Amino acid sequence: MENSAKTEDYENTNTLVNSEIESSFCINENTTASETGISEKIPTCDPVVTPRKRKMGFEDDLTEEDSSCWVDSSLKKRTLNAEVVLEKSTRDDGNISKKRIEADDVPTNQSSTGDSAPLKRKIELEDVSGKQKSLKGHSSAVAAHYNELQEVGLDKRSQSRIFYLRNFNNWMKSVLIGEFLEKVRQKKKHITVLDLGCGKGGDLLKWKKGRINKLVCTDIASVSVQQCQQRYEDMKHRCRDNEYIFSAEFITADCSKELLIDKFHDPEMYFDICSCQFVCHYSFESYEQADKMLRNACERLSPGGYFIGTTPNSFELIKRLESSETESFGNEIYTVKFQKKGDYPLYGCKYDFNLEGVVDVPEFLVYFPLLNEMAKKYNMKLVYKKTFREFYEEKIKNNENKMLLKRMFALEPYPANENSKLVSEKVDDYEHAAEYVKNSQARLPLGTLSKSEWEATSIYLVFAFEKQQ
């Protein structure tokens, strides 16, 4: 277990970030987390003026797709200082599940610039019982869960307990995707992408802004695929006459049991990027399923192409489980429940995950050294594997990424003002922010997440593989 020691490096940290400083975290690699100090040089910076309404596009640039906003009194007349306050956590860093936290980049009822009324094109959902009745066991449960998830209104979504958490995790995805789109663009102009586990299309706007040429979206849940396709059509409808948008095809399939190449319009097609955001864990029920997922993800990558994504950090999950007095752990936002302790097979190590209002479905541990070895079969070489905290610490040093963090409303303003309230009603959920305000001259409000949310973000890692010649 090459990461077993590293998962403890960040315990009990109370770290601060300012979007204008060169180094985002002042952590000595040789210092244990409990000894980690706060930077003594955190300059002030101009606050970001918060828009009149909460932006629900959750994306990086304020373009015509996401120029419409929705009223939310908690953000009126507020400014958000670029300082980021991380709670004094006993957890490593990570992310929530793809479909758990999927922040919809292209809301189905979002208005386009210049339109007097929202688009009212609605998807005609088909009866999926016949289409997916062939799915068995766990696959059937996963598909059924996401097929049955109901769309919620924008107002309700903006008032969610995990509103900022979802935005924060979506920022992580945006940065990851942007990084590897840029790497590919340095090699070639025409970019083809496979979105493996596309969900309802939460990353469509990222691909549009990344100026790709072709996108193939696939997911096990047919309703999600239909909604993804509808969002793509709506996006095309909003485009101006001279505005380019990628071509796309949509496939409903279980990538752990079916070969996608048999379903492509062009069976000779190759990809430059396969993005697999928080779906690998559904495939590790067996070796055969994990291998089939990797074959779909990597076999049709061009040399120099990338397999990127996020997956649960098995070391972190087991560490928390072993520290728990029961077979489960979590807080009021999320819970992870194993069947028993001490028995963690390489495949089929099932646990139940529940995220407040979003997910309640079984998953399987992904032992990353095993994933790495299995990927070699398809001529893939690991570029990097990082916890979300490690990834964040690196990427926040970039000024564009810092500004993106603000534009996506990925942090909650602290303290609340007279016209708003904090998303968590637990006083100790903001002890980390209160302590920093007390002991510093920081401009208010700060940007942070509640302690419960920081804990929930810390169970995932990010990875990237490159296809060898």
Side-chain angles (χ1 to χ4, degrees), residues 366-397:
V366 178
Y367 180 50
F368 196 87
L370 176 63
L371 176 65
N372 188 21
E373 287 301 312
M374 294 182 68
K376 292 177 181 178
K377 176 180 177 180
Y378 299 100
N379 209 20
M380 304 301 295
K381 181 180 179 180
L382 183 65
V383 177
Y384 63 64
K385 169 187 64 67
K386 301 175 183 179
T387 66
F388 257 71
R389 183 178 192 117
E390 292 168 334
F391 185 76
Y392 175 77
E393 288 175 347
E394 175 186 330
K395 301 306 178 183
I396 199 62
K397 297 175 183 178

Side-chain angles (χ1 to χ4, degrees), residues 126-248:
E126 301 176 7
D127 179 9
V128 300
S129 59
K131 279 190 172 184
Q132 300 204 282
K133 64 182 179 181
S134 61
L135 293 175
K136 297 180 180 179
H138 183 259
S139 296
S140 177
V142 173
H145 171 77
Y146 291 113
N147 280 330
E148 294 169 5
L149 280 181
Q150 299 295 315
E151 282 286 316
V152 298
L154 293 172
D155 181 66
K156 183 176 180 180
R157 192 185 304 161
S158 68
Q159 298 304 318
S160 168
R161 170 67 178 85
I162 56 173
F163 173 81
Y164 293 102
L165 173 65
R166 295 173 69 168
N167 292 358
F168 179 82
N169 287 305
N170 198 38
W171 175 84
M172 303 292 278
K173 284 201 303 177
S174 295
V175 174
L176 175 66
I177 288 173
E179 174 186 353
F180 285 91
L181 280 175
E182 180 60 27
K183 288 182 182 295
V184 172
R185 198 168 300 284
Q186 292 174 2
K187 306 173 186 177
K188 59 190 302 186
K189 293 182 179 180
H190 190 283
I191 300 177
T192 303
V193 173
L194 172 63
D195 192 337
L196 196 66
C198 63
K200 294 180 288 186
D203 294 336
L204 284 173
L205 192 56
K206 297 179 181 67
W207 302 126
K208 178 176 182 292
K209 292 179 179 180
R211 307 186 310 281
I212 71 169
N213 301 88
K214 170 76 175 182
L215 177 68
V216 176
C217 293
T218 179
D219 198 277
I220 192 174
S222 60
V223 171
S224 293
V225 174
Q226 292 171 29
Q227 291 172 331
C228 181
Q229 183 170 1
Q230 184 65 59
R231 287 180 174 176
Y232 170 74
E233 296 298 331
D234 290 343
M235 182 187 294
K236 286 177 60 178
H237 179 77
R238 289 194 297 269
C239 287
R240 298 170 183 173
D241 292 338
N242 61 347
E243 187 177 5
Y244 175 80
I245 186 170
F246 55 84
S247 61

Side-chain angles (χ1 to χ4, degrees), residues 255-296:
C255 71
S256 73
K257 295 181 179 179
E258 303 173 74
L259 275 180
L260 296 180
I261 191 173
D262 297 333
K263 302 176 182 294
F264 294 155
H265 292 167
D266 177 10
E268 300 300 319
M269 178 168 46
Y270 278 84
F271 300 96
D272 302 294
I273 291 177
C274 173
S275 176
C276 188
Q277 303 297 335
F278 309 102
V279 294
C280 287
H281 47 274
Y282 295 123
S283 301
F284 271 71
E285 184 175 5
S286 67
Y287 166 79
E288 291 76 16
Q289 288 174 259
D291 180 68
K292 186 64 67 68
M293 179 275 295
L294 283 170
R295 182 178 177 182
N296 282 321

Side-chain angles (χ1 to χ4, degrees), residues 13-26:
T13 43
N14 185 0
T15 321
L16 305 165
V17 178
N18 185 287
S19 72
E20 302 302 322
I21 61 178
E22 182 66 23
S23 178
S24 58
F25 284 83
C26 296

